[in-house]
Amino acid sequence: VADYTWLRPYVGAGLNFYHSSITSPMVGTDVSDSRWGSQLFGGAELSFASVPQFAISTELSYRWFEEAVAGLNLGGMGLSVAGHWYVK
């Protein structure tokens, strides 16, 4: 077989950490925020025999964060599409 396609599905769960800081030149204050959260994710990676060092993947995720600032929720559904170049 000279040409083939690999499809590798995956699922997972875990913890994540978020940290953000901003300096506002108009107000002159520094604001910093850190949060712990959890996530569920699943996706698939697709690669071809004709280009073995390159793969395309897509992932669907859902994240939950502690809501430290009222009205600011960083969690929710997310979609990611990426290209990967592997170096051996």
Side-chain angles (χ1 to χ4, degrees):
V1 177
D3 194 21
Y4 55 90
T5 303
W6 286 347
L7 179 65
R8 293 179 289 276
Y10 60 90
V11 294
L15 297 174
N16 52 30
F17 179 74
Y18 164 82
H19 176 77
S20 177
S21 61
I22 187 170
T23 301
S24 174
M26 298 192 72
V27 180
T29 59
D30 293 337
V31 177
S32 179
D33 185 30
S34 298
R35 300 176 194 198
W36 285 97
S38 55
Q39 63 183 346
L40 294 173
F41 57 89
E45 183 178 72
L46 181 68
S47 61
F48 303 96
S50 58
V51 189
Q53 67 273 23
F54 184 73
I56 298 171
S57 67
T58 184
E59 178 178 290
L60 187 63
S61 63
Y62 193 86
R63 291 180 171 88
W64 296 269
F65 283 100
E66 300 171 0
E67 193 169 345
V69 179
L72 180 61
N73 185 357
L74 300 172
M77 191 70 73
L79 175 67
S80 163
V81 177
H84 308 273
W85 189 268
Y86 294 103
V87 179
K88 291 185 180 183

